[in-house]
Amino acid sequence: MTAYAIAHLREARPHPEVAEYIERITGTFEPYGGRFLVHGTQHEVREGEWPGHVVVIGFPGIGEARAWWESDAYQEIAPLRSRHIQGDIILVQGVPDGYDPAVTAKALRDALPS
């Protein structure tokens, strides 16, 4: 089941270390089957606030996403970003093929007090 690394990165001033991070990151996730799905693109806020940028990297599964995050290659370059850009980063598993949100809604209704 596909998994994703999703980053909500705040605005930052340009810095040579950030450029180096961007140059090197692809080489850290490709061995785990990762690829950019969203990077360096504009977004439209339709509700609430979303200051900064969004990055999404897709992986074949959550195991590969975790292995990438914990890899020596990624941990070596992560400070190049984190020293200059604040953000929130999550790893999340996607839904399986055939996912039916009605099943989730039914479980929610069944959990409501009578």
Side-chain angles (χ1 to χ4, degrees):
M1 188 175 337
T2 305
Y4 306 92
I6 302 172
H8 178 199
L9 303 175
R10 308 310 186 272
E11 295 292 339
R13 288 182 304 216
H15 193 281
E17 287 190 339
V18 174
E20 181 181 349
Y21 173 86
I22 293 169
E23 292 166 348
R24 294 175 60 187
I25 189 171
T26 302
T28 69
F29 60 66
E30 282 183 338
Y32 302 95
R35 69 182 186 92
F36 277 119
L37 301 176
V38 177
H39 186 254
T41 58
Q42 296 296 314
H43 61 271
E44 297 180 21
V45 177
R46 296 299 176 114
E47 189 171 325
E49 296 180 25
W50 193 285
H53 305 281
V54 63
V55 176
V56 180
I57 303 170
F59 290 91
I62 195 72
E64 291 88 347
R66 286 183 187 127
W68 162 71
W69 179 264
E70 296 166 1
S71 71
D72 290 342
Y74 183 70
Q75 290 303 310
E76 179 182 314
I77 69 166
L80 299 173
R81 174 196 44 79
S82 63
R83 282 193 288 260
H84 306 285
I85 302 174
Q86 292 183 336
D88 303 303
I89 301 173
I90 62 170
L91 302 180
V92 62
Q93 190 166 312
V95 298
D97 289 340
Y99 171 76
D100 183 358
V103 173
T104 302
K106 181 179 180 325
L108 177 63
R109 287 189 182 281
D110 290 348
L112 294 171
S114 300

